[in-house]
Amino acid sequence: MSDTIIEVKNLTFQYEEDQTSPTLDQVTFHVKHGEWLSIIGHNGSGKSTTVRLIDGLLEAQSGQIVIDGQELTEANVWELRSKIGMVFQNPDNQFVGATVEDDVAFGLENQGIPLEEMQSRVQQALELVKMSAFKDREPARLSGGQKQRVAIAGAVAMRPAIIILDEATSMLDPEGRLELIQTIKDIRQRYGMTVISITHDLEEVALSDRVLVMKNGQVESDTSPQALFSRGEELLNLGLDRPFTSVLIQTLKEKGFAIDESYLTEKDLEEKLWASISKR
Amino acid sequence: MNNLILGRYIPGDSLLHRLDPRSKLLAMFIYIIIIFWANNLATNLLMTVFTLSLVFLSGIKITHFLKGLRPMVVLILFTTLFQVFFTQGGQVLFQFWIIKITSLGLSQAALIFMRFVLIIVFSTLLTLTTTPLSLADAVESLLRPLSRFKVPVHEIGLMLSLSLRFVPTLMDDTTRIMNAQRARGVDFGEGNLMQKVKSIIPILIPLFASSFKRADALATAMEARGYQGGDGRSKYRLLSWKFLDSLALLSLLFLGGLLLLFKN
């Protein structure tokens, strides 16, 4: 068995027939088993469309998607979809159940899983996202971050091989965002899931194994977070902020301090600064 | 919007809270039918004692029931006064110009008044002790036999529970849109009728637009979570009909029997 879980080949898609340029144009990439892939890019670069095509929510004009060795077709879309858990952007619009518990159970109900198994899985998923104490709450009484954690619990309860986060942290405050990223990290460690995350958030990108940059419906590049962060000013054009350390390094360079690298983690930069000070 | 008593649920652990929502819903129907059999002092007394003892059993403060009655006060008084002035018959008690108050008018008015109050108290009892969700479950479950006649029972149940879940969300939306429009100078509730109606448009259109957007996102999320309709689904929430539920319905039927016995 190959180590590739998702293979996307020459995917082309457009929403309306008279569009001047296609939303996706010959997109090709792959995702490895257990990998954390970030997809970044400007609004309208086709990130969300790509993951919706992978989940079979949209149908491509041409191209091929292979998930876990099977090509995605109309016949097996439900089967393949059950291998993928999706978490969307707006926590309010994806909350189906009347309470936290009911929402987590919704996906399990759809698969016709027996009651006892459902109860244990719901319990487990809620513990994982630390929402057990809230299981009787209605969505109106939860914060955005809590709702998003419930959405993740709902996806995790289905035990998917792949979890896709479609800008899942974009509507949260910094605290909620950090908590959510930590939760995803834990889940990934525990179940060895493959994570695909569409994001504009630096922390999320920094945690991922690989970054796919999309631009105008095409894959612009496919790099490691470190290589991406060293692109400096360019990052702003890709819909990302610049990491704090890059800005600091550049400021130091302008002030005449010699630092060769254009990107370091905070820890590495700290070491470097200590080293250079103690040399004097 | 906080005065809305509709669908308001007060958590508790009384006998009534623990009843199956189906039995409570059925009880509501039976109650509404038998209350029309109460047409004299004895039967009304019977109904009042029964209803008040249920209120006591629920362990919910009387003030909540008064809140439920408050929006209906005008309607109740209006109907009652109508009965007093326009029902003619029996002894004439008071006469002035064209106004004539008769004994039959007074007793009819009292009857109507009691019916209103009791029905409202009983229905408030139902909503205060039952979560909206379990009421939706109960409706779905009670409609189940109709699926033989091609009534889409699962879809009705799903729509009902989704609507209930989105009520607070849409309320929030409405408040937000109203405040946003106020900030841009729209006056709500000012001017004549035409102006008032016109000022609703800047709330209504964004609200509809955002509802469409929400519905679309929700449908996508449901599909992504494997929702393929009612077939082959299991249920997380099971309703269980217990001995207590049968007992509750039997006691109501017994009450109905007593009413038939004592009514005029």
Side-chain angles (χ1 to χ4, degrees):
Chain A
M1 194 173 147
S2 70
D3 63 344
T4 312
I5 191 159
I6 300 175
E7 185 90 57
V8 175
K9 278 182 216 148
N10 302 323
L11 210 56
T12 302
F13 178 82
Q14 55 190 41
Y15 285 97
E16 265 135 58
E17 276 180 26
D18 52 354
Q19 250 172 279
T20 45
S21 63
T23 315
L24 291 185
D25 183 13
Q26 301 287 317
V27 169
T28 301
F29 67 94
H30 69 277
V31 187
K32 291 197 203 86
H33 259 288
E35 187 176 38
W36 183 328
L37 178 78
S38 287
I39 305 181
I40 65 159
H42 249 307
N43 291 337
S45 58
K47 306 167 299 212
S48 289
T49 311
T50 309
V51 292
R52 268 154 221 243
L53 283 163
I54 291 174
D55 202 23
L57 296 169
L58 296 173
E59 204 186 331
Q61 262 85 16
S62 67
Q64 195 183 23
I65 299 169
V66 181
I67 297 167
D68 217 4
Q70 269 183 288
E71 187 182 343
L72 181 68
T73 59
E74 214 164 312
N76 65 7
V77 61
W78 290 102
E79 187 199 330
L80 291 183
R81 193 174 283 161
S82 69
K83 296 181 185 212
I84 301 174
M86 261 239 199
V87 180
F88 295 93
Q89 183 175 19
N90 188 326
D92 256 325
N93 295 351
Q94 52 181 317
F95 209 108
V96 185
T99 66
V100 167
E101 246 182 314
D102 289 294
D103 189 62
V104 176
F106 178 75
L108 301 173
E109 288 179 321
N110 290 337
Q111 296 194 346
I113 285 160
L115 185 66
E116 284 102 68
E117 164 109 24
M118 267 204 277
Q119 279 165 339
S120 76
R121 281 215 215 168
V122 168
Q123 209 54 41
Q124 212 184 342
L126 284 177
E127 262 161 44
L128 200 68
V129 299
K130 303 187 184 71
M131 287 293 289
S132 299
F134 299 90
K135 65 179 179 149
D136 294 326
R137 292 273 187 106
E138 297 95 46
R141 292 163 63 206
L142 297 175
S143 74
Q146 288 172 329
K147 274 180 242 182
Q148 217 48 323
R149 279 181 8 221
V150 174
I152 289 180
V156 170
M158 317 261 287
R159 310 268 162 83
I162 304 157
I163 193 157
I164 298 179
L165 308 166
D166 186 356
E167 300 196 35
T169 56
S170 68
M171 288 178 84
L172 304 181
D173 58 12
E175 197 188 346
R177 191 174 296 178
L178 283 179
E179 273 177 16
L180 203 71
I181 294 174
Q182 190 57 47
T183 310
I184 295 163
K185 227 167 116 180
D186 292 346
I187 289 168
R188 185 167 167 252
Q189 237 156 32
R190 183 135 153 203
Y191 293 111
M193 278 183 200
T194 307
V195 178
I196 301 178
S197 140
I198 295 182
T199 184
H200 295 282
D201 184 58
L202 281 177
E203 307 255 358
E204 257 181 277
V205 175
L207 274 172
S208 53
D209 301 317
R210 199 153 54 92
V211 191
L212 201 70
V213 182
M214 293 196 63
K215 201 173 184 181
N216 301 331
Q218 286 177 313
V219 176
E220 192 243 22
S221 64
D222 178 352
T223 57
S224 68
Q226 284 74 24
L228 177 78
F229 288 155
S230 62
R231 287 168 72 171
E233 299 263 311
E234 250 187 282
L235 287 174
L236 296 174
N237 292 328
L238 300 174
L240 269 189
D241 236 347
R242 294 181 60 195
F244 165 71
T245 53
S246 299
V247 180
L248 187 62
I249 289 169
Q250 202 190 353
T251 318
L252 286 172
K253 271 183 191 163
E254 279 162 16
K255 303 264 179 207
F257 293 93
I259 297 175
D260 309 323
E261 291 87 349
S262 52
Y263 173 75
L264 291 168
T265 60
E266 287 187 20
K267 201 160 172 79
D268 289 342
L269 183 61
E270 199 181 310
E271 298 278 330
K272 197 139 198 150
L273 290 176
W274 272 118
S276 68
I277 291 170
S278 47
K279 250 185 240 164
R280 290 193 183 167
Chain B
M1 304 276 178
N2 284 330
N3 294 323
L4 206 73
I5 196 84
L6 174 92
R8 179 71 55 91
Y9 165 73
I10 297 174
D13 193 32
S14 72
L15 204 64
L16 292 181
H17 282 91
R18 273 177 275 138
L19 280 180
D20 189 292
R22 283 173 298 183
S23 66
K24 285 192 264 191
L25 208 60
L26 284 176
M28 184 79 224
F29 282 119
I30 298 176
Y31 190 90
I32 289 176
I33 293 167
I34 66 174
I35 198 152
F36 287 99
W37 296 345
N39 57 3
N40 59 16
L41 190 66
T43 46
N44 266 300
L45 215 60
L46 212 59
M47 284 306 271
T48 312
V49 169
F50 178 78
T51 311
L52 283 182
S53 54
L54 283 184
V55 168
F56 177 72
L57 261 179
S58 75
I60 292 170
K61 276 190 239 134
I62 296 286
T63 47
H64 288 296
F65 294 92
L66 295 181
K67 249 188 226 161
L69 277 170
R70 204 159 49 192
M72 305 294 282
V73 164
V74 179
L75 184 69
I76 296 174
L77 285 182
F78 184 71
T79 328
T80 315
L81 286 179
F82 237 81
Q83 291 291 336
V84 170
F85 291 124
F86 291 98
T87 311
Q88 309 296 327
Q91 247 181 311
V92 177
L93 300 174
F94 177 81
Q95 195 162 17
F96 172 73
W97 189 38
I98 55 163
I99 300 168
K100 204 157 85 179
I101 294 177
T102 63
S103 59
L104 185 70
L106 278 184
S107 65
Q108 276 296 324
L111 217 57
I112 293 281
F113 178 80
M114 284 311 288
R115 271 179 200 162
F116 261 118
V117 171
L118 286 178
I119 286 183
I120 292 170
V121 168
F122 196 86
S123 57
T124 314
L125 205 57
L126 174 78
T127 54
L128 288 182
T129 59
T130 322
T131 59
L133 169 73
S134 57
L135 267 183
D137 280 347
V139 171
E140 188 184 341
S141 164
L142 288 176
L143 287 180
R144 175 100 346 119
L146 290 182
S147 59
R148 237 180 255 169
F149 305 106
K150 302 227 164 91
V151 176
V153 174
H154 165 75
E155 281 75 12
I156 293 174
L158 182 78
M159 274 193 316
L160 204 58
S161 71
L162 280 181
S163 328
L164 287 170
R165 174 247 166 284
F166 271 96
V167 166
T169 313
L170 291 181
M171 292 265 218
D172 282 351
D173 274 358
T174 313
T175 326
R176 202 173 313 132
I177 293 169
M178 273 178 89
N179 286 338
Q181 301 291 25
R182 270 201 199 104
R184 301 163 75 186
V186 179
D187 256 335
F188 296 112
E190 296 281 315
N192 61 30
L193 190 68
M194 204 54 211
Q195 282 165 323
K196 270 185 197 165
V197 170
K198 266 189 186 156
S199 74
I200 292 179
I201 292 172
I203 314 174
L204 225 48
I205 290 177
L207 194 62
F208 266 105
S210 90
S211 306
F212 281 133
K213 231 177 262 169
R214 281 192 193 283
D216 185 42
L218 183 73
T220 311
M222 283 170 70
E223 206 184 332
R225 290 171 72 180
Y227 178 74
Q228 297 180 70
D231 298 333
R233 278 189 105 224
S234 51
K235 263 189 135 351
Y236 184 66
R237 232 164 244 286
L238 292 179
L239 301 171
S240 64
W241 187 279
K242 290 185 281 289
F243 175 64
L244 205 61
D245 296 295
S246 311
L247 205 65
L249 283 189
L250 278 178
S251 72
L252 212 59
L253 289 177
F254 179 67
L255 180 74
L258 280 182
L259 287 177
L260 275 181
L261 208 63
F262 288 115
K263 83 183 192 113
N264 286 349

